[in-house]
Amino acid sequence: MIHHQIRLAMRPDAPRDKVEEALELLRRMGREIDAVAYWTVGRDVGGDFDYGAMFAVEDIEGYRAYMYAPLHRRVDEIGLPLVRDMVSHDLTDDEDPATADLIRQIHAERFAGDPALVALIQGLGSYDGSSAPGRGAREGGSD
């Protein structure tokens, strides 16, 4: 299994209705993306973040399908402008050491093919995690 986890601190001026819309889109990702085995979206407890989400997929093929789902890109477009700070990590029980490289490769290809997504990421106050567009250009990062 691969667990893709995000933590989000919202901008202080983010309209409440837009935040709710973005959270509902995250929930739709869990319900509608076939590759997602199970998921959760809710309040982040015990840190400097407001919300979090976790999506579990069976394998690297499911991870790729999740990352490239059109609904995922729609969530990025609507949700990222509302986010001040974001952390994104991946946790896997797959013993194959190549899995981490494949996860990073999927992110790199996704960012390389979508300059508008990179611009959304660059609009964040901070972004940390598994991989990022032009790793080293920002403070770390993943999607």
Side-chain angles (χ1 to χ4, degrees):
M1 294 296 291
I2 301 170
H3 295 83
H4 181 67
Q5 309 158 13
I6 61 171
R7 300 176 78 193
L8 309 165
M10 308 313 283
R11 295 182 186 278
D13 61 346
R16 185 77 197 144
D17 63 326
K18 292 295 183 185
V19 171
E20 288 301 323
E21 177 185 5
L23 292 171
E24 181 53 30
L25 286 172
L26 283 168
R27 292 179 187 104
R28 280 188 54 202
M29 286 175 57
R31 291 189 301 263
E32 296 178 19
I33 298 174
D34 290 338
V36 175
Y38 55 91
W39 58 278
T40 189
V41 173
R43 292 177 295 118
D44 189 275
V45 178
D48 295 327
F49 296 91
D50 302 304
Y51 301 100
M54 185 283 305
F55 300 93
V57 297
E58 291 288 335
D59 53 29
I60 200 67
E61 291 82 15
Y63 190 85
R64 180 180 298 280
Y66 161 81
M67 292 304 293
Y68 279 95
L71 181 55
H72 188 179
R73 185 59 179 85
R74 183 168 173 221
V75 170
D76 292 334
E77 191 73 31
I78 292 170
L80 287 175
L82 306 172
V83 174
R84 182 185 71 231
D85 300 315
M86 179 173 162
V87 175
S88 172
H89 291 282
D90 298 294
L91 173 70
T92 184
D93 59 1
D94 187 334
E95 296 292 331
D96 185 348
T99 299
D101 290 334
L102 292 170
I103 288 170
R104 283 189 285 275
Q105 180 183 348
I106 288 168
H107 285 281
E109 290 169 356
R110 186 169 181 252
F111 291 129
D114 192 345
L117 176 59
V118 174
L120 288 169
I121 295 297
Q122 290 173 339
L124 298 175
S126 68
Y127 183 50
D128 189 29
S130 304
S131 63
R135 187 153 176 94
R138 303 245 344 129
E139 298 171 8
S142 172
D143 173 302

